[in-house]
Amino acid sequence: MKKKILIAAAVILSSQLYAQDSTKITLDEVVVTANKVAQKQSATGKVVSVITKEVIEKSAGKSVGQLLNEQAGITINGALNNMGSNQTIFMRGASSGRTLVLIDGVPVSDPSLINNEFDLNLISLNNVERIEICKGAQSTLYGSDAVAGVINIITIKSDINKPVNVNATVSAGSFNTFKGALQFYGKVKNLTYTAGYSKIQSAGFSSAYDKTGTNNFDKDGYNSDALKVFLKYDLTKQLSLSSFIQNTRYKTGLDAGAFRDKRDYTSTNKGLIAGANLQFKNEAVTVNAKYQYSEFTRFLFNDSTDSPGYLSRGNYKGKAQFVDVFANIKLSKNFSLLQGADYHDNKMGMTTFGTYPGSIYGPAGTYSSKVDSAISQSSLYASLMYSGLNGKLNIDLGGRLNVNSRYGNNNSYSFNPSYKISEKLRVLGSISSAYKTPSVYQLYSDYGNINLKVEQSKSYELGLDYKQNNFSNRLVYFYRDINNAIDFNNNSFQYFNIVNQVVRGFEYEFKIQPIKGLSVTGNYTYLSATEKSQSRKSFTDTSYNYVLRRPKNTLNLTAGYQFAKALYVSVGAKFVSKRQDVGGYKANDIVLDAYTIFNAYAEYKFCNRFKVFADAQNLTGKKFFDLNGYNSIPFMITAGVTANF
């Protein structure tokens, strides 16, 4: 009943606020993620959300994961835990590794991670300009792993005119947390440049939860450094060459597991991403040739003084190369064609070693393992886009042929129509397929299975988009059916293909500006999932009417007010309903309690050059759990200053 009241209150609030006509809001953002070319959101049937630079600047105390965790249809498991925790992306109920992360439009992933996902801890929010989220199956344009959608983290600044600009931010907060960032950027004749460095250091709190409160669990600290350099040179008015390099390192403390402390157990992670893009653009055609190289290393070291005789080391390395050449051609007034080809090469190296003491279960011993494997894939893709009836009707029709070095051929398709019923109301939809190839880890690690099949899915969407001067909202129904979904077999301790997973639900998003200075935003997501898989208790096939760690109901609300030209204040709330998590080996899954947490933000600007700010999370100090046996954030506050020159 409580969740129904919360939802009803949001709808009633939006209706009441809408009745008060006032200032306008941005209605039609220009996006690039939907079709790899700049277009207005109203020109595509795809569901695209934008986290703007303005929103990012008012999220100074948060991480990329925490900001994404507030968006419709997205749960970032680990975002509200200790710094350095694994950031698992669940979009529209899809499992880990089924949401593809892009950096400036190019896929990034770590082949040494289980699901070939990307570690969000390697991205500093200080280096992010905007984020575009394109939901629904996107394999036609972006290939494997884009089952539930893509998240495009854009770090490139736009509209730079001055030769030299400087931005600096320093803040401090709870748990001896320090954050600092420095950026230089500008444009000198044909050269545009950006260079940024950020630092985060925190004493943190214990990752594992001490349920007795008497075991004196140690704090698990976090220390990170991130450097990003971007250069772009305009060779002519139509031809430009750009390149970038991003280098990130962080070290974090770890614990032994749920409810289990561990001292002197650390993970040191490094990520290097570098690339270049050659672009030609005129009125009739745009051509891009992109190359990206990424290298990720992870070193786990456990030499705990509280566990004599136990030692473990793990070295993990993932390397990936990506080439993408595509062109958008304007065929006529109504038709344009996007066509391209890309190539992925993924390599994984893994070396582990350990010793363990004798116990009642057996004598002391050692173990070691070494894996070095790779897979590659090539693809051809195309999308025909139509815009007619004075821009009222838009249709995208696309297809992809993928050739994998392990699996051979597979394909995907997409059909995304939208129709503008009136200037205020638009209907949109999609019918599309997607796929996920098993990762190098799932194939060749000690737990690998070389007989894994490609995961295949079909997705459907239907939505309504209504926008008026001071009010915008969108309601979307989605349905996804996955066959041969890849999961872990708790009996054979190998990865395997489960029979089937179905997720359906809907998202509602709104933004209102009822009076000058006041903005209210919110979103609600409902999930209903079923899957047939192996029982985590008995190891026999069974059916579940839920998916782990993904709530059926999620609600986010934020109200911000510009009290004066210099002062801005916002308050927010997040409601998460009950959900299931693993209860332990051969144990039933457990239910995690629902929770509601509140946050607040305030900033004051001086002379358009300086800003002081404060960001508080979990204002009431609510004790809650997103992961069974692991602490979530208590009350936390961050305060700092930003300077622009």
Side-chain angles (χ1 to χ4, degrees):
M1 180 62 70
K2 182 187 292 185
K3 61 191 177 189
K4 292 181 179 178
I5 293 173
L6 285 169
I7 297 164
V11 175
I12 293 170
L13 174 65
S14 67
S15 301
Q16 292 176 338
L17 292 174
Y18 168 60
Q20 307 172 56
D21 187 24
S22 186
T23 55
K24 294 184 178 181
I25 61 176
T26 302
L27 299 178
D28 208 2
E29 291 271 2
V30 174
V31 297
V32 297
T33 310
N35 285 299
K36 295 193 174 185
V37 293
Q39 64 181 154
K40 291 184 177 181
Q41 284 180 282
S42 61
T44 176
K46 296 183 179 181
V47 179
V48 183
S49 300
V50 179
I51 304 176
T52 64
K53 179 62 175 176
E54 180 185 16
V55 172
I56 291 171
E57 288 177 344
K58 289 178 170 60
S59 305
K62 299 173 184 176
S63 65
V64 172
Q66 288 172 334
L67 189 55
L68 289 171
N69 197 45
E70 297 173 355
Q71 309 309 307
I74 298 179
T75 296
I76 308 294
N77 202 243
L80 298 178
N81 292 91
N82 197 19
M83 283 189 181
S85 298
N86 291 334
Q87 308 282 292
T88 304
I89 304 174
F90 298 133
M91 182 182 287
R92 289 183 170 177
S95 302
S96 173
R98 276 71 174 177
T99 301
L100 184 64
V101 175
L102 317 175
I103 294 182
D104 299 322
V106 179
V108 288
S109 57
D110 183 352
S112 72
L113 292 176
I114 293 174
N115 286 294
N116 198 44
E117 61 264 49
F118 176 72
D119 183 359
L120 289 177
N121 290 308
L122 293 171
I123 288 287
S124 171
L125 192 61
N126 292 103
N127 293 331
V128 178
E129 289 297 302
R130 61 190 266 130
I131 300 175
E132 295 181 2
I133 303 165
C134 188
K135 285 172 262 189
Q138 304 299 325
S139 283
T140 295
L141 288 185
Y142 294 104
S144 179
D145 302 357
V147 174
V150 297
I151 296 173
N152 189 7
I153 301 172
I154 299 171
T155 66
I156 299 172
K157 290 183 177 293
S158 60
D159 302 323
I160 299 176
N161 298 312
K162 293 169 56 178
V164 180
N165 302 268
V166 181
N167 176 274
T169 299
V170 177
S171 66
S174 305
F175 304 105
N176 295 322
T177 299
F178 168 83
K179 296 182 180 181
L182 181 64
Q183 280 191 333
F184 295 92
Y185 59 96
K187 185 174 184 179
V188 181
K189 294 183 179 180
N190 293 350
L191 177 67
T192 303
Y193 68 91
T194 302
Y197 169 77
S198 62
K199 172 78 174 182
I200 302 176
Q201 189 170 357
S202 177
F205 48 85
S206 174
S207 296
Y209 175 59
D210 181 3
K211 57 185 175 182
T212 67
T214 60
N215 291 320
N216 192 30
F217 285 8
D218 72 321
K219 295 180 179 179
D220 297 303
Y222 178 83
N223 192 351
S224 75
D225 300 271
L227 175 67
K228 174 72 181 283
V229 177
F230 170 81
L231 299 172
K232 178 184 176 183
Y233 189 80
D234 296 322
L235 301 169
T236 67
K237 289 184 178 180
Q238 299 176 329
L239 185 64
S240 65
L241 176 65
S242 59
S243 64
F244 75 94
I245 184 169
Q246 175 180 301
N247 198 346
T248 308
R249 175 191 179 277
Y250 75 90
K251 184 176 182 179
T252 187
L254 301 176
D255 278 330
F259 306 108
R260 298 169 58 202
D261 188 33
K262 199 69 162 179
R263 301 177 186 274
D264 305 320
Y265 187 17
T266 59
S267 175
T268 302
N269 304 261
K270 299 178 182 179
L272 171 67
I273 306 173
N277 179 38
L278 182 65
Q279 183 184 76
F280 174 84
K281 183 177 182 179
N282 62 24
E283 293 182 357
V285 62
T286 301
V287 181
N288 285 272
K290 298 187 176 186
Y291 170 77
Q292 182 166 288
Y293 172 83
S294 55
E295 181 174 313
F296 304 96
T297 60
R298 188 168 68 262
F299 177 59
L300 303 180
F301 181 63
N302 184 356
D303 188 15
S304 295
T305 56
D306 57 342
S307 301
Y310 187 86
L311 167 72
S312 70
R313 295 189 182 97
N315 283 284
Y316 302 84
K317 179 175 287 189
K319 292 184 179 180
Q321 295 189 76
F322 176 75
V323 180
D324 190 13
V325 180
F326 60 93
N328 183 61
I329 305 168
K330 189 174 182 180
L331 302 176
S332 67
K333 178 182 177 181
N334 302 111
F335 287 94
S336 62
L337 176 66
L338 177 75
Q339 53 186 338
D342 62 35
Y343 172 78
H344 292 254
D345 181 66
N346 292 332
K347 297 180 180 179
M348 181 198 75
M350 179 179 72
T351 303
T352 60
F353 171 80
T355 63
Y356 50 88
S359 69
I360 59 173
Y361 301 104
T366 63
Y367 67 89
S368 64
S369 175
K370 185 174 183 179
V371 177
D372 191 2
S373 300
I375 56 175
S376 63
Q377 54 191 11
S378 304
S379 302
L380 295 172
Y381 60 90
S383 180
L384 181 65
M385 291 166 277
Y386 169 82
S387 179
L389 302 180
N390 296 320
K392 290 184 177 181
L393 178 63
N394 294 279
I395 299 174
D396 302 339
L397 179 63
R400 170 182 284 256
L401 173 64
N402 187 64
V403 181
N404 187 281
S405 61
R406 170 74 191 171
Y407 299 99
N409 300 349
N410 65 285
N411 55 69
S412 62
Y413 62 85
S414 62
F415 175 61
N416 298 100
S418 66
Y419 183 76
K420 186 184 291 185
I421 299 173
S422 68
E423 288 302 314
K424 300 176 183 178
L425 182 63
R426 188 169 67 104
V427 61
L428 62 149
S430 72
I431 302 173
S432 51
S433 66
Y435 65 93
K436 177 176 177 58
T437 56
S439 68
V440 185
Y441 187 96
Q442 290 166 336
L443 288 169
Y444 300 112
S445 71
D446 291 341
Y447 307 104
N449 178 3
I450 61 173
N451 296 314
L452 285 173
K453 299 176 182 178
V454 175
E455 182 177 298
Q456 302 278 1
S457 66
K458 293 181 180 179
S459 295
Y460 307 89
E461 292 175 315
L462 181 62
L464 290 173
D465 192 346
Y466 182 88
K467 297 180 180 180
Q468 191 168 311
N469 291 338
N470 65 335
F471 174 62
S472 68
N473 71 147
R474 180 172 61 197
L475 176 67
V476 179
Y477 169 82
F478 56 86
Y479 175 93
R480 182 177 59 255
D481 189 346
I482 297 180
N483 291 310
N484 293 324
I486 302 167
D487 204 349
F488 188 70
N489 188 313
N490 293 285
N491 187 18
S492 65
F493 299 103
Q494 279 190 319
Y495 290 93
F496 76 118
N497 293 102
I498 69 174
V499 179
N500 180 256
Q501 182 189 80
V502 174
V503 179
R504 57 176 64 82
F506 67 87
E507 303 163 347
Y508 177 66
E509 303 171 80
F510 71 89
K511 181 174 182 178
I512 312 162
Q513 287 187 337
I515 58 175
K516 185 178 180 180
L518 176 63
S519 175
V520 181
T521 61
N523 60 73
Y524 167 72
T525 305
Y526 171 78
L527 287 178
S528 175
T530 58
E531 67 178 20
K532 188 172 183 180
S533 182
Q534 184 191 79
S535 166
R536 288 175 282 274
K537 181 179 180 181
S538 64
F539 304 139
T540 58
D541 282 351
T542 189
S543 294
Y544 291 95
N545 62 354
Y546 57 85
V547 281
L548 292 173
R549 298 173 181 170
R550 281 149 276 183
K552 283 191 174 183
N553 301 277
T554 307
L555 177 67
N556 296 282
L557 289 172
T558 301
Y561 189 76
Q562 194 78 43
F563 283 92
K565 186 178 179 180
L567 178 62
Y568 173 84
V569 176
S570 69
V571 292
K574 182 179 186 67
F575 167 76
V576 176
S577 67
K578 293 181 179 179
R579 60 236 169 270
Q580 285 76 16
D581 201 352
V582 177
Y585 183 67
K586 288 188 178 183
N588 285 323
D589 295 338
I590 67 166
V591 176
L592 300 178
D593 291 336
Y595 65 85
T596 301
I597 56 174
F598 300 90
N599 58 70
Y601 174 84
E603 67 177 32
Y604 188 86
K605 294 181 179 179
F606 300 89
C607 308
N608 293 324
R609 298 220 179 254
F610 296 93
K611 178 180 74 175
V612 292
F613 63 87
D615 190 313
Q617 299 186 64
N618 195 2
L619 287 171
T620 63
K622 170 75 174 180
K623 183 178 286 293
F624 67 99
F625 298 95
D626 272 336
L627 283 166
N628 181 37
Y630 290 89
N631 285 310
S632 293
I633 59 171
F635 168 74
M636 297 176 63
I637 188 167
T638 301
V641 60
T642 295
N644 290 281
F645 299 97

